[in-house]
Amino acid sequence: MKELAPFRIDRAISVGLVEPLLRLHRRETPSIPILMYHSISDTLDLAPHPYYRTTTSPVAFQAQMQFLHENGYATCTPGAAVEQLQSGEINRKKVSITFDDGYQDFLENAHPVLERFGFTATVYLPTAFIGDERRSFKGRPCLTWSEVRQLQQLGVSFGSHTVTHPQLRELSTETIREELLDSKKAIEDQTGEPVTSFAYPYAFPETDRSFKAALRDLLAEAGYTSGVCTTVARASAASDPLFLPRLPVNNDDDQALLSAKLSGAYNWIGSIQSVIKTTKRIFE
Ligand SMILES: [Zn+2]
């Protein structure tokens, strides 16, 4: 018997309500969806609710890339997305595809599919877990430096995901500065290319204005010009270039849900995230 999918309120609202409404009232503000992936593997994680899962099977990933291809999307890096959003020159449907945590399965399971469709991607590396010998992070093997260089030759771009993947908000300014600078330098030393993009580890404290302002200064001082985080929305000209929102994608994203996310029908999740975080902060 076919297993019944668990009921998902986020899916029901996005696919059944928000997307049809958006179609009726289309006021297109220029935006670029930035997809957030982690591991592409048949070893799926089992977080209780699909919203929190971070793995995508190779079969589901292939279907998602096929969907982007069939719908006329071309890929760009988050850095290029910032430039295009700010200049207002987006000549066709664009999407950024990002991968956090530097897992080895990107090389095995994601890159061949991306290449087939002529897509590029940005991989954010937590550099303490990338070595000449294989290391692992959260129980999954990571890329080695020689694999990073190999992928770079094939057109993949790399960004920093800090050195040790810490909760940055709990660290001193000096330690945050080291996390930003040392990871950037490690990747630049290994690839010979400038690193200008950053991915914030863990849930982004979007409502903590003073932390955000301080981190923005530190990122700029370290030489970053674009950055991504876990705030849910499509990136637009109004987005902070160093804290661009993304759309989380995982194994549970079928065509309807992916389509809803790409069209902006998942952005309402971002507003709820923000309300919850603000409420939590008030009562902290
Ligand atoms: Zn991460």
Side-chain angles (χ1 to χ4, degrees):
M1 201 177 83
K2 194 172 181 302
E3 204 181 310
L4 281 176
F7 178 70
R8 292 186 58 178
I9 188 77
D10 57 336
R11 183 182 198 288
I13 293 176
S14 303
V15 174
L17 184 65
V18 183
E19 194 180 23
L21 280 175
L22 282 179
R23 264 202 293 271
L24 281 176
H25 301 277
R26 186 153 295 286
R27 270 185 297 135
E28 201 53 72
T29 48
S31 57
I32 297 181
I34 304 178
L35 305 184
M36 174 176 69
Y37 286 98
H38 287 78
S39 176
I40 308 298
S41 164
D42 280 317
T43 312
L44 299 176
D45 67 86
L46 298 168
H49 191 276
Y51 177 78
Y52 295 104
R53 293 178 193 155
T54 54
T55 47
T56 307
S57 75
V59 169
F61 183 69
Q62 151 87 30
Q64 291 160 1
M65 295 303 106
Q66 177 91 36
F67 180 83
L68 294 180
H69 172 72
E70 283 169 1
N71 284 276
Y73 280 95
T75 48
C76 66
T77 61
V82 168
E83 285 170 20
Q84 292 172 33
L85 288 167
Q86 290 185 344
S87 68
E89 285 169 24
I90 308 172
N91 50 8
R92 59 178 293 189
K93 275 162 123 178
K94 289 280 169 65
V95 64
S96 272
I97 309 174
T98 68
F99 294 80
D100 286 10
D101 299 348
Y103 292 124
Q104 181 197 15
D105 56 41
F106 174 82
L107 175 66
E108 290 172 359
N109 297 333
H111 186 261
V113 179
L114 293 166
E115 198 169 41
R116 203 171 309 144
F117 294 112
F119 290 163
T120 57
T122 303
V123 179
Y124 290 100
L125 303 173
T127 54
F129 304 94
I130 312 297
D132 292 327
E133 304 291 329
R134 177 117 25 238
R135 298 176 189 174
S136 62
F137 177 65
K138 293 185 179 168
R140 290 176 190 261
C142 292
L143 294 164
T144 63
W145 284 122
S146 85
E147 289 167 342
V148 168
R149 287 190 294 270
Q150 181 192 337
L151 286 164
Q152 189 205 16
Q153 300 285 314
L154 296 169
V156 174
S157 65
F158 290 91
S160 159
H161 197 32
T162 72
V163 177
T164 64
H165 204 282
Q167 293 279 6
L168 284 177
R169 200 171 154 205
E170 293 167 6
L171 304 180
S172 69
T173 302
E174 200 38 52
T175 313
I176 296 174
R177 189 176 277 130
E178 283 168 17
E179 288 279 348
L180 305 187
L181 284 170
D182 293 355
S183 54
K184 186 175 191 290
K185 184 169 186 313
I187 305 168
E188 288 176 342
D189 286 350
Q190 291 287 340
T191 62
E193 290 283 328
V195 169
T196 56
S197 197
F198 178 79
Y200 188 88
Y202 300 113
F204 184 59
E206 60 194 85
T207 53
D208 187 339
R209 286 178 183 215
S210 61
F211 173 74
K212 262 171 73 174
L215 183 61
R216 188 183 293 113
D217 288 348
L218 289 171
L219 284 164
E221 176 194 301
Y224 293 100
T225 53
S226 73
V228 292
C229 65
T230 57
T231 303
V232 176
R234 296 187 300 177
S236 71
S239 308
D240 188 323
L242 291 169
F243 306 125
L244 297 169
R246 290 189 285 182
L247 300 167
V249 187
N250 64 28
N251 201 54
D252 297 283
D253 286 274
D254 57 13
Q255 281 201 359
L257 186 52
L258 182 59
S259 165
K261 288 180 177 180
L262 290 164
S263 71
Y266 205 67
N267 290 9
W268 63 272
I269 287 263
S271 316
I272 293 191
Q273 262 183 336
S274 171
V275 169
I276 292 171
K277 283 181 187 166
T278 306
T279 318
K280 265 194 188 157
R281 281 178 56 71
I282 292 169
F283 292 103
E284 245 169 24

